[in-house]
């Protein structure tokens, strides 16, 4: 991590996210580490940060490219006291929080369903949340966030080079990862409290404002199935609502989205 770790920990004291901080040079996946901390009853707000991941996980069983030195890989533990169906609101809330944090560095930040954060159409951040549920209760949620911070284009694997970006590529400046984490955790705390206190509606409104796909013709691909329709909104589970050519509203809960026109 850039800078002094002790000073960094001090600046997170008293904050919800990061006051209990576990920092590693290398882990398999910060989500796995946070999940096992959760299983050992770690407090809400406990945060894991790693400089690199050997098995960084993406959505839909994909890998998240996680080399050392340049990026941000973090997972935090949440224990919201709400109904289990609302667990899927957490990654959407996180997308809004990341967008707020990145907006300070760069213009052109948008969201892409389900939970990618984009800069001028290229992916800068991925979010992966995993919930531990029992009966009708959320035991805890691990919210994992990966942000490409100081990566150069040539360091991305070839297959994602045209669709991925980093803050440094977009701004031409080297970004302090410590400052970015502090701002990320602050924004996450604000958005999370807003979700707990005011419900999903304000978060959803902000999400929709940041998502250029709303009102556009979309294609959603999941496994071997593709669905097309106009994106009209998000339901209470964070599923995308599409209006088909036959004027039928359908909801989609997982997949990869592309704007067609
Ligand atoms: C995606 O867009 O597919 C989600 C990527 C999520 C990556 C982050 S990096 C920190 C945390 N640990 C993981 O193993 N994955 C998430």
């Amino acid at each position: 991590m850039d800078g002094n770790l002790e000073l960094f920990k001090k600046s997170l004291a008293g904050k919800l996210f990061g006051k209990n901080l576990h920092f590693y040079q290398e882990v398999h996946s910060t989500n796995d580490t946070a999940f096992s901390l959760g299983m050992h009853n770690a407090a809400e707000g406990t945060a894991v940060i790693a400089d690199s991941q050997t098995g960084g996980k993406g959505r839909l069983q994909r890998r998240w490219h996680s080399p050392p030195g340049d990026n941000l890989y973090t997972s935090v533990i949440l224990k919201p006291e709400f109904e289990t169906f609302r667990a899927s609101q957490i990654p959407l809330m996180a997308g809004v929080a990341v967008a707020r944090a990145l907006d300070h560095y760069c213009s052109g930040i948008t969201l892409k369903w389900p939970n990618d954060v984009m800069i001028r159409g290229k992916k800068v951040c991925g979010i992966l949340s995993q919930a531990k549920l029992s009966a009708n209760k959320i035991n805890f949620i691990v919210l994992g966030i990966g942000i490409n911070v100081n990566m150069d284009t040539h360091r991305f694997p070839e297959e994602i080079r045209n669709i991925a970006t980093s803050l440094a590529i977009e701004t031409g400046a080297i970004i302090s990862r410590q400052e970015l984490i502090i701002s990320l955790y602050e924004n996450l705390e604000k958005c999370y409290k807003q979700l707990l206190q005011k419900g999903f509606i304000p978060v959803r409104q902000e999400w929709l404002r940041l998502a250029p796909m709303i009102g556009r013709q979309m294609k959603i691909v999941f496994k071997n199935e593709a669905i097309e329709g106009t994106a009209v909104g998000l339901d209470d589970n964070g599923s995308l609502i599409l209006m088909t050519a036959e004027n039928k509203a359908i909801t989609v809960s997982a997949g990869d989205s592309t704007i067609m026109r």
Side-chain angles (χ1 to χ4, degrees):
M1 185 57 47
D2 343 289
N4 179 312
L5 188 60
E6 286 316 307
L7 273 181
F8 174 59
K9 282 188 170 170
K10 260 195 195 140
S11 52
L12 290 170
K15 305 276 163 78
L16 172 60
F17 297 111
K19 70 171 183 289
N20 294 324
L21 181 67
H22 298 254
F23 176 77
Y24 301 92
Q25 278 309 327
E26 182 181 284
V27 291
H28 182 70
S29 152
T30 55
N31 266 33
D32 289 355
T33 308
F35 206 91
S36 80
L37 288 166
M39 294 301 284
H40 288 92
N41 229 357
E44 178 165 71
T46 298
V48 176
I49 299 174
D51 187 53
S52 67
Q53 300 183 113
T54 51
K57 299 196 287 195
R59 283 188 319 112
L60 308 175
Q61 321 295 330
R62 296 185 184 126
R63 295 285 301 266
W64 184 256
H65 184 58
S66 310
D70 285 331
N71 298 326
L72 176 54
Y73 318 110
T74 183
S75 302
V76 297
I77 294 178
L78 305 177
K79 298 188 172 181
E81 291 197 0
F82 51 44
E83 303 92 317
T84 48
F85 82 88
R86 295 188 59 194
S88 48
Q89 296 174 356
I90 294 291
L92 293 157
M93 173 282 293
V96 170
V98 172
R100 285 189 195 177
L102 299 193
D103 194 50
H104 170 78
Y105 296 91
C106 194
S107 61
I109 311 283
T110 57
L111 297 176
K112 178 168 173 261
W113 186 85
N115 35 43
D116 293 348
V117 185
M118 318 288 287
I119 305 179
R120 292 182 271 278
K122 291 188 172 183
K123 181 162 169 173
V124 69
C125 165
I127 295 168
L128 179 69
S129 80
Q130 298 175 274
K132 174 84 177 84
L133 310 174
S134 67
N136 275 332
K137 194 180 172 309
I138 298 174
N139 288 353
F140 62 86
I141 294 174
V142 167
L143 174 67
I145 300 174
I147 304 179
N148 301 324
V149 184
N150 292 317
M151 282 271 279
D152 274 345
T153 311
H154 73 270
R155 293 193 63 212
F156 284 111
E158 214 179 317
E159 61 276 16
I160 60 168
R161 210 165 281 162
N162 290 329
I163 54 170
T165 193
S166 72
L167 277 177
I169 294 170
E170 297 300 324
T171 60
I174 295 296
I175 310 287
S176 154
R177 286 183 292 170
Q178 289 196 358
E179 276 174 35
L180 177 60
I181 292 169
I182 292 167
S183 161
L184 173 67
Y185 287 171
E186 276 172 9
N187 280 291
L188 211 48
E189 183 168 347
K190 277 191 206 138
C191 289
Y192 180 50
K193 287 186 171 158
Q194 186 184 27
L195 182 68
L196 293 179
Q197 286 158 13
K198 305 213 164 103
F200 188 45
I201 291 171
V203 171
R204 172 166 50 196
Q205 272 169 353
E206 193 169 344
W207 194 98
L208 293 172
R209 262 203 310 277
L210 286 161
M213 63 195 289
I214 298 301
R216 307 280 297 272
Q217 180 72 14
M218 300 296 302
K219 182 178 181 180
I220 313 297
V221 177
F222 183 57
K223 295 190 175 155
N224 291 325
E225 221 194 313
I227 302 169
E228 283 194 34
T230 307
V232 292
L234 296 176
D235 73 6
D236 286 346
N237 300 309
S239 294
L240 184 67
I241 309 170
L242 290 179
M243 201 56 89
T244 65
E246 298 77 40
N247 248 351
K248 205 175 131 213
I250 47 172
T251 56
V252 193
S253 60
D256 290 313
S257 65
T258 316
I259 298 181
M260 305 299 287
R261 55 183 182 273

